[in-house]
Amino acid sequence: MASPRRSYAFFGCKVARGDRVTLPTEGERTLVLKQAALSNPIIGSTSLLIHTKSQTAPLVLCTLRPGCEQSYITAVLDEDDGAVLEIIDGGADAVHVCGVHVPRPTHMHL
């Protein structure tokens, strides 16, 4: 049986319009966000934003629109980031976000 520290775990959440979703922390694992997708067809565009403790302004992870209902993203987050997701603009009711919790490296190679 693999130790919890070495295992990977799927992550998924739904970011609804008007809500903010605080991303969970998993102790000795790092969260890697990989993909975002619209929950329903829209007119216009909807942006997925991320707020972190280290940024004064939110960052746009992706913008989804007709013809581009899914987006690959790469955001590597640590528990110290205090990351929160939200959506703005457009008519999407929600954006689904998925990723994976991965083991945190025990040392860095330079």
Side-chain angles (χ1 to χ4, degrees):
M1 182 173 176
S3 71
R5 185 175 144 24
R6 293 284 179 205
S7 64
Y8 293 75
F10 173 80
F11 168 79
C13 72
K14 179 179 176 181
V15 184
R17 186 179 338 147
D19 289 343
R20 287 183 166 208
V21 175
T22 301
L23 297 176
T25 58
E26 288 272 329
E28 294 188 15
R29 291 192 275 188
T30 298
L31 177 58
V32 181
L33 300 180
K34 301 300 284 177
Q35 187 172 12
L38 292 171
S39 66
N40 61 309
I42 63 167
I43 297 173
S45 62
T46 296
S47 295
L48 176 65
L49 304 181
I50 187 166
H51 303 262
T52 63
K53 291 179 184 175
S54 63
Q55 299 291 325
T56 56
L59 301 172
V60 176
L61 288 178
C62 65
T63 299
L64 304 169
R65 64 186 187 291
C68 182
E69 291 87 9
Q70 299 182 54
S71 179
Y72 291 106
I73 54 178
T74 301
V76 179
L77 304 163
D78 201 353
E79 61 190 55
D80 297 333
D81 292 323
V84 176
L85 298 176
E86 76 172 320
I87 58 173
I88 61 167
D89 303 324
D93 291 331
V95 171
H96 297 276
V97 180
C98 65
V100 64
H101 289 279
V102 299
R104 187 172 299 143
T106 55
H107 61 281
M108 301 274 300
H109 295 285
L110 300 176

